[in-house]
């Protein structure tokens, strides 16, 4: 596998809570230059990033970040909002407390709810 094939599978990511628009724009520019799969950015920047990237790069975001312990309804609403803003990929942090408690059915149910909320992303 060559460098370009590897980069085409990488999400170029900036999830620092102190990231500002300039950081996100630079990330997008670099991702386009190097041909990464997506950029993964904070949800608040999705709409602006979609417009800035002008279709040259899919925008990814993550909900429930970083701990995954937001209520399911909040995660579903956040997923719906970012999908409507143009995110093509929505990653979600699962509730790690539920994992430790062995609540795998609750985790599976939450994933299904969030997936429906942001379809087709």
């Amino acid at each position: 596998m060559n460098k370009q094939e590897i980069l085409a599978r990488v999400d170029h990511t900036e999830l620092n809570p102190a990231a500002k628009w300039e950081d996100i724009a630079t990330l997008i520019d670099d991702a386009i230059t190097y041909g990464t799969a997506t950029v993964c950015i904070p949800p608040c920047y999705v709409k602006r990033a979609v417009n800035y990237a002008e279709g040259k790069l899919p925008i990814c975001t993550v909900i429930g970040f970083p701990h995954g312990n937001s209520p399911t309804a909040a995660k579903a609403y956040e997923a719906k909002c970012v999908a409507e803003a143009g995110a093509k990929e929505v990653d979600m942090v699962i509730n790690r407390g539920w994992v430790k408690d062995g609540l795998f059915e609750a985790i599976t149910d939450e994933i299904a709810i969030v997936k429906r909320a942001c379809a087709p992303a």
Side-chain angles (χ1 to χ4, degrees):
M1 187 176 279
N2 67 37
K3 180 174 76 170
Q4 190 51 51
E5 290 171 324
I6 293 169
L7 287 171
R9 291 169 172 77
V10 171
D11 294 333
H12 196 24
T13 302
E14 173 59 83
L15 295 173
N16 182 333
K20 54 189 188 294
W21 172 249
E22 180 181 326
D23 303 321
I24 303 302
T26 298
L27 185 83
I28 293 167
D29 292 340
D30 289 347
I32 291 169
T33 298
Y34 295 109
T36 65
T38 72
V39 290
C40 187
I41 59 172
C44 64
Y45 290 116
V46 167
K47 187 174 182 77
R48 191 169 180 187
V50 167
N51 291 332
Y52 183 81
E54 298 177 323
K56 297 174 190 164
L57 178 75
I59 305 301
C60 170
T61 194
V62 62
I63 60 167
F65 185 79
H67 303 294
N69 56 4
S70 303
T72 300
K75 287 180 179 179
Y77 180 73
E78 188 174 12
K80 179 180 182 289
C81 290
V82 297
E84 288 174 352
K88 297 297 181 198
E89 180 179 323
V90 180
D91 296 348
M92 180 185 83
V93 179
I94 63 171
N95 187 318
R96 291 180 278 176
W98 288 0
V99 171
K100 290 180 175 184
D101 289 336
L103 300 174
F104 302 113
E105 187 173 334
I107 294 167
T108 302
D109 290 347
E110 180 174 76
I111 291 168
I113 290 166
V114 171
K115 183 178 177 181
R116 280 192 303 274
C118 66

